[in-house]
Every structure is written in structure tokens, then in C-alpha cells.
Amino acid sequence: MDKTERMTASNCLYRGRILNLRVDEVALPSGVQAKREIVEHRDASAVLAVDAYGLLLFVSQYRYAAGKELLEIPAGLVEDGENPADTAVRELQEECGYKPGKLEKIASFYCSPGFSTEKLHVYFASELVKSKLPEDEDELIETLRLSPAEAEEKITNGEIADAKTIAAIYWYRRQQFDNGI
């Protein structure tokens, strides 16, 4: 059964630096007309990095939309013409001061596909070497290191509440489990 919705009209309500907002009218396969509110958002990359001591690197920063400081893995928007893996490397350098010797793709997923086009690409970085790039001037970031068990505990007690970070930590813990660690 074809479930494809066909756009019949589109109206852009807002154009911004990182997102646009539009309202589309669509025809469902049944012929019913519906409206879809869409946030057009650039793709982003995130990176879970492990240092030589087995500690995971996190950043703590105030997130205005959430109204509080959040503990997250490094992440940022994919620039025009940039490969998502290169974005992950750049963000790790800007936010934590390291470049990975090894980079592995964990997954790509839509953050909220009911209304947003944003796709997030998540990577795992290891064999880190010091390599600092200038930080974005509109971000105040603190870097922290946690053991995998400490990170998992922070998920359990609500101190880590960021979806990409939770997914990456659980992926890593599964890898450890599968390898008998």
C-alpha cells in the first residue's frame, strides 16, 4: 500500500540561520487533504570519544531552548559542502581539543521526523591526539570526562537527558558487553 503524501502547496513562514519553518498542504493517498508543519533543519554530527584511559569525553553547556545546562557529547551542524564525518572531527577539535586517530560511524537518524528534516550522524572516536581548533564564540563549553559506568548512572539519575548522548552511551556499553568488558 502506497502511503506517500504529495505536497499540493507550501508556504515558508520563517527563514533563519539554522532553520526554516514552512507549512505544507498535502494530499494523502486516500485523497484527504492535510497540513504539515515542517522545520527545515541542517544535518548535524555528534561524536562519542574515548580517551586512552577509557574515559568518555562530554561537554557541558547552557542550552537556552531547554532552559538549563546539559551534559552532551560534542556535536554541531554540518556546514555546506562538508562531510558529516568531517563535522564530527571538527566539533571534537573545537569543543574538546582532540582529533581522532580512528573514527567509526555509529548511526544516522532523524531527531524528530514528525516535523523536522534534521538528520543526526553519530560517530565513535578513539586513538585521540591533542589538536585544538578555535571554539565558536557564541558557546561557553566545559569539557568533562566520565567512565562509561558514571555516564550510564547520569542517564539513570536524569543528569544526562540529551537523546543523541543517551543513544551513543548505550551503543558504547553494548559494544563493551559484546566484547566481554
Side-chain angles (χ1 to χ4, degrees):
M1 173 184 194
D2 183 16
K3 298 178 185 175
T4 306
E5 298 178 4
R6 189 176 47 82
M7 181 177 54
T8 58
S10 184
N11 182 23
C12 184
L13 302 177
Y14 173 78
R15 288 201 183 280
R17 185 175 62 86
I18 64 168
L19 63 85
N20 301 325
L21 173 62
R22 71 175 203 260
V23 177
D24 291 351
E25 292 183 31
V26 298
L28 280 59
S30 65
V32 171
Q33 294 289 313
K35 288 190 183 218
R36 301 291 185 243
E37 297 169 348
I38 306 296
V39 174
E40 297 173 345
H41 193 287
R42 294 196 341 237
D43 284 3
S45 289
V47 58
L48 176 67
V50 63
D51 69 13
Y53 303 101
L55 299 176
L56 303 175
L57 278 62
F58 296 91
V59 294
S60 177
Q61 71 182 94
Y62 184 83
R63 292 296 199 173
Y64 182 81
K68 61 183 175 181
E69 198 166 317
L70 294 179
L71 190 57
E72 308 171 41
I73 57 175
L77 297 175
V78 176
E79 299 294 335
D80 289 337
E82 188 176 39
N83 178 297
D86 293 337
T87 302
V89 171
R90 176 177 50 80
E91 289 296 330
L92 185 60
Q93 289 178 281
E94 289 175 359
E95 297 183 358
C96 297
Y98 289 95
K99 186 174 185 176
K102 286 177 115 176
L103 189 70
E104 174 184 348
K105 178 100 175 242
I106 295 174
S108 292
F109 54 86
Y110 290 97
C111 298
S112 193
F115 68 88
S116 177
T117 62
E118 181 183 12
K119 191 172 193 179
L120 185 62
H121 308 276
V122 184
Y123 295 86
F124 174 67
S126 59
E127 299 180 10
L128 306 181
V129 293
K130 286 189 181 274
S131 177
K132 182 71 173 153
L133 289 176
E135 297 174 17
D136 292 335
E137 59 186 40
D138 64 345
E139 295 180 328
L140 296 172
I141 294 173
E142 177 186 359
T143 302
L144 296 117
R145 296 169 195 262
L146 300 171
S147 72
E150 289 171 319
E152 197 169 11
E153 176 63 28
K154 288 189 180 297
I155 293 170
T156 301
N157 68 24
E159 290 179 69
I160 293 179
D162 173 66
K164 69 183 174 300
T165 302
I166 292 169
I169 292 167
Y170 283 142
W171 172 87
Y172 185 70
R173 295 297 273 170
R174 178 59 194 232
Q175 299 306 305
Q176 288 184 307
F177 177 80
D178 287 350
N179 292 318
I181 299 172

